[in-house]
Amino acid sequence: LINQDTYLVNGELKEWKGETTEVYSSIHTLNDKGEYTPTLLGSIPYMAEPEANDALEAAANAFGKGKGLWPTMKVADRIACMEKFVKQMEGKREEVVKLLMWEIGKNLPDSQKEFDRTVEYIYDTIEEYKQLDRDSANFKKHDGVYAHIRRGPLGIVLCLGPYNYPLNETFALLIPALIMGNTAIFKPAKHGVLLISPLLEAFRSSFPKGVVNIVYGRGRQVAAPIMQSGRIDVLALIGNSKSAIALQDQHPYKNRLRLVLGLEAKNPAIILPDADLDLAIDECIAGTLSFNGQRCTALKLVYVHEDIVDEFNKRFAKRVDALKFGNPWEPGVMLTPLPEPGKPDYIQELIDDALEKGAHIINKKGGEKTENYIFPAVLYPVNKEMRVYHEEQFGPVIPVISFTDIEEPINDIANSNYGQQVSLFGKDIKELASLIDTLVNLVCRVNLNSSCQRGPDVYPFTGRKDSAVSTLSVHDALRSFSIRTFVASKDN
Ligand code: G3H
């Protein structure tokens, strides 16, 4: 059990004496009465407005309206703080990986990958920051005016990460924000909150006081008053659009607020008649179901050309049924308990709605449900009347749609509220090239003969329409969390 009885504010791990919230895992274990129930993992402070205000005050003091210690610190010194942090973090791998498995049910290889990818992201960010600093030392001359271009911090960042990557995506916001000289208040995700506990001391001892402040509790009690204060300069959030809009609306001076948002997506796969079907099926399995489909980049609609849809469905359904469900540490397990208690019921609702409107579950095990899981249902034929066509399912249900003319999926993508990525499967280079030219204007990344994904982290991660605001990646995030400034003079 981890009973988190301290919280990090103003460089101090303060003792928490107030109310607490219990944290449960959706992985079931035997209780005293011999029943299998959700496992109690520990507790976290249940904070409210006064603690939120303390964190805000600390972050504001550390930023000092731009004159504080952190934003004015030499590049080399800020890097030294970051290096100190990441070195300590590396020693916590085993603990954090274990908590990733228990708190969000991510399987062992993917939990290890999440940790290692985060460490690599921090080291790469440090290198990118050094490069940025070298580049900004370049002088430019135009019309007799010399300019020394720099990049400066924006201010105080409220950082909120998602439960599906509670370490990696939260840090993909927090780390670039900090290294650019901003100060931050960070609220860990609801599921995946305890895995921050092993890192608290590393945060405390690596950064000057007030640079990183960590708060716990519900958004309404903690994040809302922070936004209402009007003192937040950047809202950095990866999660759903509803929370992002609600938080922006709390800010009294919206024009001053910079947004760095990674939101929802409904990435489609389009399988053309000449596609390598084995490859397309492999990629669609990984794309739709890794981490049970709980990824913003997951494939959430599969369009298959009518000439091959029967063959695709037969083989795909069989492959889905062969996937192994189990606890995250068991070898070969791809499907694992879902961390959100209401998720199996929600997925069931989508399935029922689709069945009522004419779809069928085409795999034998599809829709088999327990308290913490629902086996992936492959639904066919799916149409626009169905909820599963429109809603971001973020879970194990796969809508398959057949098409006759490529204009059908293309129009659907153009009319969608989302615009993150597309996967395109086919062989005819000429046809692919012309489709790519259209698709890149509808989404931000076209994956050729492969499923959608965020990585490698050096490539831009963004989206059009309701899918994102700003761009993340090792390279882009440093720019998203800073502003270009320069010194102009008439003499060199
Ligand atoms: O939830 C959205 C994530 O950005 C997905 O990242 O493609 O690396 O799994 P991933």
Side-chain angles (χ1 to χ4, degrees), residues 23 64 70 75 149-150 178 308 413 427:
V23 179
W70 185 246
V75 166
I149 312 278
R150 304 172 181 204
L178 292 178
I308 52 166
I413 298 165
K427 284 198 192 111

Side-chain angles (χ1 to χ4, degrees), residues 2-8 14-23 42-48 51 193-194 197 200 214-218 222:
I2 297 182
N3 291 317
Q4 185 54 53
D5 52 8
T6 57
Y7 64 105
L8 180 64
K14 286 198 181 155
E15 199 182 333
W16 176 255
K17 294 196 184 110
E19 222 181 298
T20 57
T21 310
E22 289 182 330
V23 179
S43 64
I44 50 164
Y46 186 72
M47 293 181 169
E51 294 79 28
V193 53
L194 292 175
S197 298
L200 286 184
I214 302 178
V215 294
Y216 298 93
R218 295 231 177 95
V222 178

Side-chain angles (χ1 to χ4, degrees), residues 108-378:
L108 177 62
D110 286 347
S111 293
Q112 288 168 331
K113 201 158 111 197
E114 175 161 355
F115 187 91
D116 297 340
R117 179 180 182 177
T118 310
V119 167
E120 195 182 320
Y121 190 95
I122 300 176
Y123 280 117
D124 288 351
T125 296
I126 292 172
E127 286 314 308
E128 182 72 23
Y129 181 50
K130 288 181 190 164
Q131 183 61 42
L132 186 68
D133 184 54
R134 276 193 293 272
D135 292 349
S136 42
N138 288 336
F139 284 86
K140 293 185 191 316
K141 187 189 166 198
H142 196 77
D143 283 348
V145 179
Y146 291 91
H148 176 201
I149 312 278
R150 304 172 181 204
R151 278 215 161 249
L154 296 163
I156 309 169
V157 181
L158 175 62
C159 178
L160 306 160
Y163 80 81
N164 64 334
Y165 276 97
L167 181 75
N168 179 264
E169 287 210 305
T170 311
F171 281 32
L173 300 171
L174 183 65
I175 298 299
L178 292 178
I179 209 162
M180 290 312 297
N182 303 285
T183 61
I185 304 159
F186 146 46
K187 187 170 101 58
K190 182 172 171 201
H191 307 287
V193 53
L194 292 175
L195 57 86
I196 300 298
S197 298
L199 305 175
L200 286 184
E201 176 52 24
F203 274 121
R204 191 204 62 77
S205 59
S206 306
F207 296 101
K209 69 176 188 179
V211 170
V212 191
N213 305 279
I214 302 178
V215 294
Y216 298 93
R218 295 231 177 95
R220 244 174 296 132
Q221 269 84 8
V222 178
I226 291 176
M227 291 302 288
Q228 283 157 7
S229 73
R231 297 167 80 188
I232 290 297
D233 299 290
V234 188
L235 173 63
L237 176 148
I238 296 181
N240 63 59
S241 310
K242 220 169 112 192
S243 319
I245 292 168
L247 282 165
Q248 286 170 59
D249 284 347
Q250 310 268 3
H251 199 292
Y253 320 110
K254 281 195 202 56
N255 290 351
R256 284 201 207 161
L257 184 66
R258 169 86 63 109
L259 300 173
V260 182
L261 309 175
L263 303 171
E264 296 155 19
K266 190 85 182 167
N267 294 341
I270 303 175
I271 307 178
L272 299 169
D274 66 344
D276 175 338
L277 215 48
D278 288 329
L279 173 73
I281 288 170
D282 281 350
E283 291 293 317
C284 284
I285 290 283
T288 54
L289 289 174
S290 47
F291 193 39
N292 307 297
Q294 302 166 117
R295 296 160 61 231
C296 63
T297 50
L299 290 174
K300 296 185 182 118
L301 283 173
V302 181
Y303 289 92
V304 190
H305 190 271
E306 61 178 358
D307 290 355
I308 52 166
V309 72
D310 291 341
E311 184 63 15
F312 174 87
N313 281 346
K314 198 169 80 193
R315 286 159 63 182
F316 186 67
K318 223 169 152 186
R319 285 283 301 279
V320 171
D321 279 342
L323 296 174
K324 198 170 154 194
F325 171 76
N327 284 324
W329 48 86
E330 291 167 26
V333 158
M334 180 157 175
L335 310 173
T336 49
L338 303 172
E340 291 180 291
K343 194 45 98 48
D345 288 344
Y346 169 67
I347 298 291
Q348 179 75 62
E349 272 178 34
L350 294 183
I351 295 173
D352 292 345
D353 172 75
L355 297 185
E356 247 172 57
K357 293 171 182 162
H360 303 281
I361 300 178
I362 60 166
N363 57 323
K364 286 201 185 94
K365 290 161 80 176
E368 283 177 10
K369 192 160 154 249
T370 60
E371 208 182 304
N372 60 4
Y373 201 68
I374 181 156
F375 198 88
V378 186

Side-chain angles (χ1 to χ4, degrees), residues 61 77 109 120 125 309 329 391 402 439:
N61 286 338
D77 294 340
E120 195 182 320
T125 296
V309 72
W329 48 86
E391 293 176 30
S402 77
L439 287 168

